[in-house]
């Protein structure tokens, strides 16, 4: 019975990795579309977001079956409940990548070249998402804590980009709509970083039983 349960947990880990990879793909694609001003590329994000939604439902179903059909011990319960929380954050990451892609379609081919740190910010958030899921699979508390600490860098990028866009509006009012679109995109990347932090904090809970109350 226990070996069967362990097999199911291994399948759960695999599915979480796959869902995390979809999140990474959606963010990376949105970032690339933004850099290139490529609307066609941006339109490819929505189907990936739909795949993420489907994956969330599949993992939720697996978790519930594990809880109902098996007799998990305390650590197993933490791992399964953490997975249920994590997929909610990953689903929101997919939604926000799709939101970024939608805004790109309004830019009419303009890129984010005038907000030079957006690409760097996107890269940081992808790393955070990757590391948070890896930390869950490896039960690596140190890696999870590094994701939480890394959020300061993303927040710093957000503050710097926001200030540069406010200056753009002040100096060139005709660019106001464009600057506001970029500001919304930046805010979505900042939220993605927050979701990665949430995932990392649930990883810590799954191993230690302790969870930080925001």
């Amino acid at each position: 019975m226990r070996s069967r349960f362990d097999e199911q947990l291994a399948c759960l880990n695999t599915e979480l990795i796959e869902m995390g990879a979809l999140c990474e793909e959606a963010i990376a694609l949105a970032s690339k579309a933004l850099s290139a001003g490529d609307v066609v590329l941006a339109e490819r994000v929505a189907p990936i977001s739909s795949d993420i939604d489907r994956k969330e439902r599949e993992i939720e179903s697996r978790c519930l079956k594990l809880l109902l059909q098996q007799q998990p011990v305390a650590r197993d319960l933490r791992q399964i409940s953490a997975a249920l929380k994590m997929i909610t954050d990953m689903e929101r990451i997919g939604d926000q990548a799709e939101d970024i892609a939608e805004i790109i379609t309004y830019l009419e081919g303009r890129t984010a070249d005038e907000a030079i740190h957006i690409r760097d910010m996107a890269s940081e958030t992808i790393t955070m998402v990757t590391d948070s899921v890896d930390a869950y699979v490896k039960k690596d508390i140190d890696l999870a804590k590094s994701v939480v600490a890394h959020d300061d860098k993303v927040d710093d990028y957000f503050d710097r980009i926001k200030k540069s866009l406010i200056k753009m509006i002040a100096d060139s009012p005709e660019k106001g709509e464009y600057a506001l679109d970029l500001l919304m995109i930046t805010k979505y990347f900042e939220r993605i970083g927050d979701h990665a932090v949430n995932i990392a904090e649930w990883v810590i809970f799954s191993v230690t039983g302790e969870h930080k109350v925001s």
Side-chain angles (χ1 to χ4, degrees), residues 3-48:
S3 62
R4 174 62 178 162
F5 184 77
D6 288 339
E7 287 175 8
Q8 291 296 312
L9 283 179
C11 289
L12 172 61
N13 286 349
T14 299
E15 290 185 328
L16 280 167
I17 292 170
E18 291 172 355
M19 189 174 180
L22 287 170
C23 290
E24 294 165 38
E25 183 181 359
I27 304 165
L29 198 58
S31 178
K32 186 176 180 181
L34 180 61
S35 296
D38 191 330
V39 173
V40 174
L41 202 59
E43 290 173 345
R44 288 170 51 191
V45 175
I48 299 172

Side-chain angles (χ1 to χ4, degrees), residues 71-154:
Q71 294 180 331
V73 297
R75 180 163 179 163
D76 297 329
L77 282 170
R78 292 200 304 267
Q79 187 174 353
I80 296 166
S81 60
L84 285 167
K85 295 289 187 178
M86 288 167 58
I87 59 175
T88 299
D89 280 295
M90 285 195 276
E91 188 273 335
R92 289 174 182 167
I93 287 171
D95 286 347
Q96 283 152 7
E98 186 176 2
D99 289 335
I100 291 169
E102 184 178 356
I103 293 173
I104 292 169
T105 65
Y106 302 148
L107 295 179
E108 299 178 338
R110 296 185 74 174
T111 69
D113 289 346
E114 294 181 61
I116 58 174
H117 294 298
I118 287 183
R119 187 182 303 177
D120 295 328
M121 187 179 185
S123 178
E124 293 294 338
T125 57
I126 292 170
T127 298
M128 289 176 69
V129 172
T130 302
D131 287 350
S132 63
V133 177
D134 285 349
Y136 174 84
V137 173
K138 297 173 182 175
K139 298 180 176 60
D140 189 334
I141 296 177
D142 290 336
L143 184 58
K145 289 180 178 178
S146 76
V147 172
V148 176
H150 209 67
D151 192 45
D152 288 341
K153 191 169 185 178
V154 170

Side-chain angles (χ1 to χ4, degrees), residues 60-72:
E60 184 178 50
S61 176
R62 182 179 293 279
C63 287
L64 293 177
K65 286 178 181 177
L66 282 167
L67 291 172
L68 293 172
Q69 297 176 2
Q70 307 291 341
Q71 294 180 331

